[in-house]
């Protein structure tokens, strides 16, 4: 997927431009929201509200290259709104903490995008069987028990294999990203 804002400006359909930008930044935004919400359902709820608000306000964004930071700001406000809705829950972060996390998340958005791109590249370098196993094992609706049964392996051997794949990906990420150390 292109990251060139000028290419996105070529599209006359603002909905298509929004969708391209949203697709590019959604994983980073979701990671940011997840860092502020203790429950997966809350993350989904907040992300839905962020996407709706961002689509509604997209026409006010003049510089499409600032989409990531702009969407992160929207996420911050949606997180604060969600915090008020879930205020009775004991696991709600204080508003000033959410604000600090939002600022930090916006600052780190380019780095997170770079890391996700590097991870995609490292996953693509894995041999086909290992790549498919890792993607299947870490997909949302897969359990290790089910996957081990399907592959006719023990859970322990599957965990060991996945550990080796994670280490392989970690080494690849270290060699791909400048300045990363264990």
């Amino acid at each position: 997927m292109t990251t060139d804002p000028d290419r996105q400006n070529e599209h006359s359909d603002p909905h298509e431009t929004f969708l391209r930008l949203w697709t590019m930044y959604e994983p980073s935004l979701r990671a940011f929201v997840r860092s502020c919400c203790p429950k997966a359902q809350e993350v989904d709820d907040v992300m839905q509200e962020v996407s709706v608000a961002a689509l509604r306000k997209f026409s006010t964004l003049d510089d499409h290259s600032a989409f990531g930071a702009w969407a992160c700001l929207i996420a911050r406000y949606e997180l604060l709104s969600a915090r008020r809705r879930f205020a009775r829950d004991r696991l709600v972060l204080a508003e000033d903490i959410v604000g600090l996390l939002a600022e930090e998340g916006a600052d780190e958005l380019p780095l997170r995008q770079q890391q996700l791109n590097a991870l995609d590249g490292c996953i693509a370098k894995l041999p086909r069987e290992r790549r498919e196993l890792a993607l299947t094992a870490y997909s949302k609706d897969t359990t290790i028990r089910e996957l081990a049964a399907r592959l006719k392996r023990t859970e322990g051997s599957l965990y060991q294999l996945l550990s080796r794949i994670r280490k392989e990906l970690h080494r690849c990420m270290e060699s791909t990203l400048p300045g990363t150390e264990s």
Side-chain angles (χ1 to χ4, degrees):
M1 165 140 305
T2 182
T3 59
D4 181 10
D6 294 331
R7 165 110 193 275
Q8 290 153 348
N9 289 336
E10 290 174 7
H11 301 290
S12 59
D13 183 2
H15 291 98
E16 181 179 343
T17 303
F18 173 83
L19 186 57
R20 287 177 184 276
L21 289 165
W22 179 259
T23 302
M24 184 186 318
Y25 286 100
E26 191 273 341
S28 298
L29 287 167
R30 181 171 291 277
F32 162 64
V33 170
R34 187 179 307 120
S35 72
C36 299
C37 289
K39 297 179 183 171
Q41 181 59 46
E42 290 176 19
V43 172
D44 292 341
D45 292 345
V46 170
M47 284 302 295
Q48 183 175 11
E49 294 303 318
V50 171
S51 65
V52 170
L55 179 59
R56 284 185 184 141
K57 297 175 184 179
F58 185 65
S59 63
T60 66
L61 180 66
D62 296 327
D63 181 7
H64 292 168
S65 67
F67 184 88
W70 175 78
C72 204
L73 185 61
I74 291 173
R76 177 183 180 180
Y77 288 115
E78 292 301 330
L79 282 163
L80 292 173
S81 177
R83 183 194 170 279
R84 288 183 209 104
R85 282 194 310 271
F86 301 119
R88 288 175 251 142
D89 193 334
R90 292 180 301 193
L91 298 175
V92 174
L93 295 173
E95 196 165 323
D96 57 333
I97 300 297
V98 172
L100 287 171
L101 288 170
E103 287 174 23
E104 190 175 296
D107 292 344
E108 291 181 354
L109 200 59
L111 174 62
R112 298 293 170 243
Q113 192 63 44
Q114 183 182 18
Q115 290 170 333
L116 286 171
N117 291 340
L119 180 58
D120 285 343
C122 290
I123 290 171
K125 291 177 186 177
L126 287 172
R128 184 185 57 79
E129 288 178 3
R130 285 181 168 234
R131 181 177 55 246
E132 289 175 3
L133 175 63
L135 293 173
T136 301
Y138 295 109
S139 66
K140 190 174 183 178
D141 297 324
T142 301
T143 67
I144 294 297
R145 176 171 285 151
E146 293 168 351
L147 186 57
R150 191 172 352 144
L151 297 174
K152 297 182 171 86
R153 296 182 73 126
T154 66
E155 291 177 46
S157 71
L158 188 54
Y159 277 119
Q160 288 178 352
L161 178 56
L162 290 170
S163 175
R164 287 192 294 271
I165 293 171
R166 282 193 308 273
K167 287 176 184 173
E168 191 174 337
L169 289 172
H170 187 259
R171 283 190 299 275
C172 176
M173 293 285 291
E174 284 183 325
S175 68
T176 302
L177 293 172
T180 57
E181 297 173 10
S182 296

